[in-house]
Amino acid sequence: MERLIITGGLRLAGEVKISGAKNAVLKLMAASLLAENECIIRNVPQIKDVLTMIEVLRGLGAEVSWADQTVLRIKPKNVSFYSAPDELVKEMRASVQVMGPLLTKVKKVKLFQPGGCVIGQRPIDLHLKGFQALGAEVVEEHGYVYVQVDRLKGADIHLDFPSVGATENIMAAAILAEGTTIIRNAAKEPEIIEEQNFYNRLGAKIRGAGTDMIRIEGVSALRPNVIDYTVIPDRIEAGTFMLAAVITAGDITVNDVIPEHIEALTAKLREAGADVSVRDESIRVKMEKPISPIDVVVLPYPGFPTDIQPQMTATLTLATGTSLLTENVFGGRFRYVDELVRMGANIRVEGRSAIVKGVPRLTGAAVVAPDLRAGAALVLAGMAAEGETLLEGAQYIDRGYERIEDKLNNLGAEIKRVQE
Ligand code: EPZ
């Protein structure tokens, strides 16, 4: 168990470099399974989920090594296995993203049925329906998913929900299929565009990523060129640090970001009274006024991102009035609220909405981080609270944030890590 001891009441100020995007790099690593030659992936964040995905790829037979602190070299030539190790799938749900590439590469995949997690039920029915539409046979038994296919054939697929993972997995399974595949109601996240670019560099013929209709023209083979790809910055890490400026009445500049990827948050921060100045590759957030209450509706991209909902909720606990946050992506993503209430917040959850009545102050307390983004939210609350917060579950935060306490302490926070 890893703990953070957070001293509250400090104002954060300064500049922070944002790392490569977790939710892009994990998929590019899975996509590298389809390469005919070596893949070099740059701007890779040193986060736990990347280390787990390295083990998944090695478990499948790929050679993976660090060329330097932030550069991975992946040689997928020996990939012949079709099942990622169970314990890794249990540890990281994103392991599901190897299904599409494996189906294309070895025509079968067996995966331990990934469970839900604290943010709610996380089925993969849309992934499996997509595979079946492409001609695969899916069997779910004894807690495993078996997918097998002789020849993948293009199909016209409509997703019930613009699922990021399903869009990615279907894209990967359609690349070498016979004929054309269309994915309708596709997810439009920036990470999907990254995968389209990555696969097209390998010789795939994909168009439309970033819109709700993606067209994949099946090709007979991918090119044997070495691919050298740089990961986009992490919009969720950027958003988390922007909110750190607001909740501590500070002044933080996040560098190496793509501002349009986080526009929904920028608009909401301005509505809450923050002074946000946007440059080409950096955003400065200054908070010199009380936090105004606002309403936030979480929606698939380009709507307000679900991965920043907990951090926004934590910030609005100190607003001068009542805010309403509605979570339309994950059903159970308010479980962390009780931890904020223990710090003095006034929040009531009704179905998919949280009503947050602003309070004058939060007080430090012993809290438990149930998952990655809720953990980040509790760190924000701890930095703004009076007194000391003892946060259990820092290991969840490490899944998606590179040395979060170092980056925050460089901005004036006082956070110590205690290994139990
Ligand atoms: C990705 O998860 C991200 N993870 C999540 O980030 C992010 O919150 C989510 O997209 C939404 O943006 C990675 O990229 C590794 P979905 P994913 O499929 O692909 C339902 C973080 O903290 N659904 O878009 O699993 C699902 O239950 C993580 O970095 C089905 O019903 O998200 C959910 O309610 C958390 N059936 C909704 O769709 C399916 O087959 C969105 O899920 C698939 C999804």
Side-chain angles (χ1 to χ4, degrees), residues 185-319:
N185 194 25
K188 300 187 273 195
E189 273 71 2
E191 295 79 37
I192 311 275
I193 299 173
E194 292 306 295
E195 279 157 82
Q196 170 180 280
N197 298 344
F198 188 89
Y199 281 128
N200 286 347
R201 291 263 193 89
L202 287 174
K205 285 199 179 128
I206 309 171
R207 285 203 322 275
T211 73
D212 62 5
M213 190 171 100
I214 300 176
R215 178 185 295 271
I216 302 115
E217 209 182 305
V219 294
S220 52
L222 294 177
R223 285 198 292 264
N225 52 314
V226 171
I227 182 167
D228 187 325
Y229 203 89
T230 300
V231 179
I232 53 171
D234 194 316
R235 58 196 170 93
I236 306 303
E237 184 193 23
T240 305
F241 279 90
M242 290 161 69
L243 280 162
V246 174
I247 201 171
T248 64
D251 178 356
I252 296 177
T253 299
V254 290
N255 289 324
D256 300 340
V257 297
I258 299 175
E260 53 267 25
H261 288 174
I262 197 70
E263 242 163 31
L265 175 66
T266 299
K268 283 295 164 187
L269 293 188
R270 285 177 172 145
E271 216 182 299
D275 171 11
V276 185
S277 41
V278 178
R279 306 259 178 292
D280 282 353
E281 297 183 343
S282 69
I283 300 176
R284 180 175 182 181
V285 180
K286 267 198 306 190
M287 194 62 181
E288 293 164 334
K289 293 189 282 195
I291 301 170
S292 303
I294 55 174
D295 291 346
V296 176
V297 178
V298 164
L299 283 169
Y301 193 90
F304 189 91
T306 176
D307 291 346
I308 295 192
Q309 175 265 96
Q311 301 91 310
M312 177 57 97
T313 304
T315 303
L316 293 173
T317 63
L318 292 169

Side-chain angles (χ1 to χ4, degrees), residues 22-23 27 122-126 163-165 307 329-330 373:
K22 165 176 97 77
N23 293 347
K27 312 339 170 33
R122 297 187 71 179
I124 57 168
D125 56 313
L126 300 179
S163 152
V164 172
D307 291 346
V329 173
F330 286 107
R373 305 300 176 187

Side-chain angles (χ1 to χ4, degrees), residues 69-358:
Q69 283 280 326
T70 63
V71 180
L72 276 179
R73 302 184 92 101
I74 301 172
K75 291 183 186 156
K77 61 183 185 311
N78 295 333
V79 169
S80 57
F81 289 93
Y82 56 90
S83 173
D86 293 357
E87 66 283 355
L88 295 176
V89 176
K90 288 176 194 165
E91 188 178 329
M92 182 184 68
R93 178 190 153 72
S95 312
V96 165
Q97 300 313 130
V98 301
M99 294 180 86
L102 283 178
L103 209 45
T104 291
K105 186 152 186 118
V106 295
K107 299 284 185 292
K108 62 180 174 181
V109 57
K110 171 193 170 195
L111 209 72
F112 184 81
Q113 180 86 9
C117 55
V118 285
I119 62 177
Q121 243 229 317
R122 297 187 71 179
I124 57 168
D125 56 313
L126 300 179
H127 302 235
L128 302 179
K129 269 163 66 177
F131 294 151
Q132 284 168 322
L134 294 169
E137 186 205 354
V138 172
V139 173
E140 296 178 78
E141 58 185 13
H142 307 303
Y144 287 89
V145 181
Y146 299 83
V147 190
Q148 189 135 9
V149 69
D150 298 330
R151 277 192 357 247
L152 287 156
K153 294 203 351 251
D156 193 322
I157 298 165
H158 181 278
L159 292 177
D160 299 349
F161 185 90
S163 152
V164 172
T167 302
E168 294 164 332
N169 253 337
I170 294 165
M171 186 196 279
I175 287 176
L176 295 177
E178 256 174 58
T180 298
T181 295
I182 295 180
I183 307 173
R184 299 180 195 279
N185 194 25
K188 300 187 273 195
E189 273 71 2
E191 295 79 37
I192 311 275
I193 299 173
E194 292 306 295
E195 279 157 82
Q196 170 180 280
N197 298 344
F198 188 89
Y199 281 128
N200 286 347
R201 291 263 193 89
L202 287 174
K205 285 199 179 128
I206 309 171
R207 285 203 322 275
T211 73
D212 62 5
M213 190 171 100
I214 300 176
R215 178 185 295 271
I216 302 115
E217 209 182 305
V219 294
S220 52
L222 294 177
R223 285 198 292 264
N225 52 314
V226 171
I227 182 167
D228 187 325
Y229 203 89
T230 300
V231 179
I232 53 171
D234 194 316
R235 58 196 170 93
I236 306 303
E237 184 193 23
T240 305
F241 279 90
M242 290 161 69
L243 280 162
V246 174
I247 201 171
T248 64
D251 178 356
I252 296 177
T253 299
V254 290
N255 289 324
D256 300 340
V257 297
I258 299 175
E260 53 267 25
H261 288 174
I262 197 70
E263 242 163 31
L265 175 66
T266 299
K268 283 295 164 187
L269 293 188
R270 285 177 172 145
E271 216 182 299
D275 171 11
V276 185
S277 41
V278 178
R279 306 259 178 292
D280 282 353
E281 297 183 343
S282 69
I283 300 176
R284 180 175 182 181
V285 180
K286 267 198 306 190
M287 194 62 181
E288 293 164 334
K289 293 189 282 195
I291 301 170
S292 303
I294 55 174
D295 291 346
V296 176
V297 178
V298 164
L299 283 169
Y301 193 90
F304 189 91
T306 176
D307 291 346
I308 295 192
Q309 175 265 96
Q311 301 91 310
M312 177 57 97
T313 304
T315 303
L316 293 173
T317 63
L318 292 169
T320 53
T322 300
S323 304
L324 177 67
L325 292 103
T326 305
E327 168 62 64
N328 291 313
V329 173
F330 286 107
R333 200 163 199 172
F334 284 122
R335 294 208 190 134
Y336 63 90
V337 158
D338 293 344
E339 302 303 304
L340 287 175
V341 168
R342 187 168 309 129
M343 297 177 73
N346 180 341
I347 307 175
R348 203 172 74 247
V349 175
E350 308 239 336
R352 279 188 172 266
S353 293
I355 297 122
V356 183
K357 279 195 172 53

